[in-house]
Amino acid sequence: MPLEIVTVPCLSDNYAFLVHDAASGATALVDAPEAAPIQAELDRRGWRLSQILITHHHGDHIAGIDALRSGATVIGNAADAARLPPLDHAVGDGDSFDVAGHAVHVMDVSGHTIGHLAFHIPDAGAVFTADSLMALGCGRLFEGSATQMWASLSKLAALPDDTLVCSGHEYTAANARFALTIEPGNPDLQARAKATEAANAAGRPTVPSTLADEKATNPFLRAALPEVKAAIDMTGAADVDVFAEIRRRKDTF
Ligand code: ZN
Ligand code: FE
């Protein structure tokens, strides 16, 4: 039986995710922006948390953990443990653990913070990216360098195209407005921007997306493409420099 993913809106624009294995009843939570909506979703479904996976140390991803952790194993980056709630299981890049026998692959995707993790769960067809790769965007470089974020995005881009990208925020509409300044003539991007507006108007989340969608429309993931380099007058420039320029433009957009 496949793993079920439930998106839980939290705070004003955050997402947490529940990953549920019906056969065993195991339920993992990825990030805990706040406890109440997550607990309400668990209660509504009659689920109990077996594991809590932490992507990074920012309060809008960990503030709810203390209130939710009873009975669950809290898993986060060993290298960033000093800034995280107490960990029951410390992991790092390349490690694997499991949710009820389903493998979870740990990827270091530093850039937004140093020590930001993504969790790839092939049996769920999903990667949990929080503030690294986001829907039509990527996280701001608060701690890491453009080189680190470009390496992180490149690792994520190597996952299968049909992978669901479960990212941490509903920033897609603003990201679409920015993306259109980079590639105004990209028809996939134009269509996605329209679909995003419609989803927002209807109160529907635009997260998760798919990696294929991101590859077709996300300017940060597309920095290596000749047409993107040409669009910002950087033909022939190194991929990472193009990424850095797009990130710089977004910071002042
Ligand atoms: Zn963050
Ligand atoms: Fe965040």
Side-chain angles (χ1 to χ4, degrees), residues 56 58 60-61 112-113 116 131 142 169:
H56 69 294
H58 286 155
D60 64 313
H61 297 259
H112 175 68
T113 67
H116 193 306
D131 299 354
F142 285 123
H169 291 269

Side-chain angles (χ1 to χ4, degrees), residues 18 27 38-49 68:
L18 298 170
T27 304
I38 295 166
Q39 190 60 59
E41 192 67 41
L42 291 166
D43 291 345
R44 202 168 70 73
R45 294 171 180 271
W47 294 353
R48 284 184 49 203
L49 289 182
L68 293 166

Side-chain angles (χ1 to χ4, degrees), residues 170-196:
E170 183 63 48
Y171 293 162
T172 319
N175 288 343
R177 287 191 287 277
F178 171 73
L180 284 165
T181 69
I182 304 293
E183 286 193 283
N186 178 336
D188 293 327
L189 174 57
Q190 293 165 350
R192 193 173 177 192
K194 280 210 182 70
T196 297

Side-chain angles (χ1 to χ4, degrees), residues 139-153:
R140 234 171 235 273
L141 302 178
F142 285 123
E143 297 175 10
S145 64
T147 301
Q148 282 172 316
M149 183 62 100
W150 178 246
S152 296
L153 296 182

